[in-house]
Amino acid sequence: MKFRVLLLGLFISILINAQNSFELTNASKAVIPFKFINNLIFIPINVNGAELTFLLDTGVSETLLFSVDNKEVKLANVEKVKFSGLGGSKSIDGLKSERNLARIGDHIINNSMSLYIIIDEEFNISSHVGIPVNGMIGYHFFKNHPISIDYAAKKITVYENQDALPKKIRKFDELSISIEKEKPYLYADIEMTNEKKNSKLLIDLGNSDALWLFPTLIKNFVYNRPNIDDFLGRGFNGDIYGKRSRIHNFYLGKFKFEKPITSMPDEFSIQHVNLVENRKGSVGGEIMRRFFVIFDYTNKKLYIKKNRFFDDPFHFNMSGLDFRQDGLEWSEERVKIETQPSTIKMNEAYSPDSFQYKFILKPVFSIAGVRKDSPADKAGLKKDDKIISINGNKASDMTMEKIIELVKSSEGRNITLVIERKNETLTLGFTLEDPIPYQD
């Protein structure tokens, strides 16, 4: 991390905190293109002149900054703070910075952005996403304006007010939400086997899974079978572990989803989370991406209309592998050059100098973890193995998104990895197998 702090102190302004929001300038609406990777949305934000990328996460109340790589971000009015959230440990140290200038495109500006800086360099989601990610933004992006998310077109539209919303909103389904502790919640029906239970869920765009449920907070909870013990992700306080399985049905308004994959963090992982009253879990990006959605925090409404992803099956990473990108390295490529001689003499062979070499920065991928008893585990793959190729394709020519799509693709598909382990090259193969098929 590289930060330049202009002034250390405990300067806090109630007025500044109240103004910490994005505003539209000289426009009734503004469009933001986004990157969409593994059900997560990433938007560009310029902070104090530095071009950064933020994860759009309704599950965070404050705007977080971390992992700015070699970029210089000037910050002022800084004080020490502590964070708590999902993960095992109680809290981590950080900083808070006031009065920062943030811009998104030409028409969206925040003149008094507050930033919470995570100084633990191990908290870095970039390696698991495959692109540089510098922070997370939630409530302060959504709080003042209706926000539409078009997952199919990969664009966000910020509207000045409800009157600026397009007339087509009449064709959307309207759901009531509550904003509690600066996060959005709704009620939906969870059907574990054959009984619907109306449950309060956080709408969590920063969670790539379909659903999370908290077993310790649900009376008489019984895990569906089959289920597996798995690494679920990383929170502010460390790694999150629990179980995964499928439930019978999930209902969001009039919409029904059959056999969605559900993650259930263990009690240790949520012990330091300050949960709102009656919350039972979260609905994440794997569900939300199936809709054109409009958030209206001011009027406590969520509008949804199904899109072309609605009927997609709920696929699971059937390899048992967790991947990471270990930065970039120079790769030498031989490039053929087509040339024609100006003259060719009779009986003279033409042998042009038709190749040259160029060097390109390409990603390096490795294995971050292996689920016990998974196909990859049984094949002998191990944590920290460097991936050379997958199914004959150079790993350096792939993206994290493509790798994840491959291991989620279809049960029965054969996967062959060439890996490097302690200067030894190994070829290992396995077959994708769904470890949690739903059983009545």
Side-chain angles (χ1 to χ4, degrees), residues 251-289:
Y251 301 85
L252 184 60
K254 72 178 184 182
F255 300 102
K256 175 183 176 181
F257 298 96
E258 296 182 359
K259 302 176 179 60
I261 297 169
T262 303
S263 302
M264 294 150 287
D266 58 30
E267 185 176 5
F268 181 71
S269 296
I270 66 170
Q271 63 179 326
H272 300 303
V273 182
N274 186 14
L275 298 173
V276 301
E277 186 178 6
N278 295 324
R279 179 186 170 189
K280 306 302 181 186
S282 305
V283 53
E286 179 61 36
I287 294 288
M288 300 306 296
R289 74 174 182 88

Side-chain angles (χ1 to χ4, degrees), residues 69-110:
D69 302 313
N70 293 319
K71 296 182 179 180
E72 183 175 88
V73 182
K74 300 177 181 180
L75 302 173
N77 306 305
V78 176
E79 62 174 310
K80 291 182 178 181
V81 294
K82 286 184 178 292
F83 300 96
S84 64
L86 288 174
S89 61
K90 187 172 183 179
S91 63
I92 59 175
D93 293 325
L95 302 170
K96 179 182 179 182
S97 173
E98 300 276 12
R99 294 195 300 176
N100 296 284
L101 176 62
R103 296 180 181 273
I104 306 175
D106 296 327
H107 300 290
I108 305 173
I109 187 170
N110 185 341

Side-chain angles (χ1 to χ4, degrees), residues 113-388:
M113 175 189 266
S114 295
L115 288 168
Y116 287 77
I117 302 124
I118 299 176
I119 58 179
D120 182 356
E121 294 186 8
E122 291 187 5
F123 187 86
N124 183 351
I125 66 173
S126 300
S127 61
H128 295 275
V129 175
I131 63 170
V133 182
N134 308 114
M136 300 179 183
I137 188 165
Y139 174 71
H140 297 290
F141 178 75
F142 287 92
K143 68 179 182 181
N144 280 359
H145 303 281
I147 307 285
S148 74
I149 302 175
D150 185 343
Y151 284 95
K154 296 182 182 178
K155 66 179 183 181
I156 292 168
T157 305
V158 179
Y159 297 94
E160 185 176 15
N161 51 45
Q162 192 179 44
D163 293 336
L165 288 171
K167 292 182 180 179
K168 64 183 180 181
I169 195 174
R170 297 169 186 168
K171 297 182 180 180
F172 285 56
D173 284 79
E174 179 184 307
L175 303 178
S176 295
I177 61 175
S178 61
I179 307 300
E180 302 175 49
K181 297 183 179 178
E182 303 182 334
K183 300 174 186 179
Y185 294 84
L186 54 68
Y187 278 87
D189 288 324
I190 303 290
E191 188 175 297
M192 296 291 292
T193 52
N194 54 19
E195 180 185 356
K196 287 184 183 180
K197 291 188 177 180
N198 197 237
S199 304
K200 185 176 183 177
L201 304 174
L202 169 69
I203 307 172
D204 191 358
L205 298 187
N207 185 338
S208 63
D209 292 340
L211 296 168
W212 276 33
L213 294 177
F214 300 148
T216 56
L217 303 180
I218 301 174
K219 187 177 180 180
N220 300 322
F221 185 89
V222 177
Y223 290 100
N224 280 9
R225 294 185 179 276
N227 59 68
I228 57 171
D229 294 311
D230 202 5
F231 167 72
L232 304 183
R234 181 167 174 78
F236 295 145
N237 308 112
D239 292 338
I240 304 166
Y241 295 93
K243 292 183 180 292
R244 294 189 200 269
S245 70
R246 294 180 188 268
I247 64 172
H248 190 201
N249 290 311
F250 172 68
Y251 301 85
L252 184 60
K254 72 178 184 182
F255 300 102
K256 175 183 176 181
F257 298 96
E258 296 182 359
K259 302 176 179 60
I261 297 169
T262 303
S263 302
M264 294 150 287
D266 58 30
E267 185 176 5
F268 181 71
S269 296
I270 66 170
Q271 63 179 326
H272 300 303
V273 182
N274 186 14
L275 298 173
V276 301
E277 186 178 6
N278 295 324
R279 179 186 170 189
K280 306 302 181 186
S282 305
V283 53
E286 179 61 36
I287 294 288
M288 300 306 296
R289 74 174 182 88
R290 297 160 190 264
F291 297 98
F292 190 118
V293 301
I294 300 175
F295 287 91
D296 186 353
Y297 277 29
T298 302
N299 295 293
K300 299 180 180 179
K301 298 294 183 182
L302 176 71
Y303 302 91
I304 58 175
K305 181 182 179 182
K306 67 180 183 179
N307 62 21
R308 60 187 174 91
F309 304 128
F310 185 82
D311 293 320
D312 286 356
F314 288 93
H315 283 313
F316 179 69
N317 179 349
M318 293 174 279
S319 69
L321 293 174
D322 182 27
F323 301 96
R324 69 168 180 259
Q325 182 177 327
D326 297 324
L328 303 169
E329 68 178 10
W330 290 104
S331 175
E332 183 183 66
E333 288 195 350
R334 194 182 189 203
V335 182
K336 188 174 182 179
I337 303 173
E338 296 293 342
T339 60
Q340 295 294 331
S342 58
T343 60
I344 302 178
K345 296 180 179 179
M346 188 66 67
N347 299 324
E348 180 180 342
Y350 171 51
S351 179
D353 181 15
S354 57
F355 293 94
Q356 73 177 18
Y357 293 89
K358 66 178 180 178
F359 293 87
I360 302 174
L361 276 173
K362 291 195 171 184
V364 179
F365 296 102
S366 64
I367 295 172
V370 184
R371 189 179 72 244
K372 185 179 179 181
D373 296 328
S374 66
D377 182 37
K378 293 175 182 177
L381 288 153
K382 298 182 182 298
K383 183 180 179 180
D384 297 326
D385 286 347
K386 180 181 178 181
I387 303 172
I388 307 302

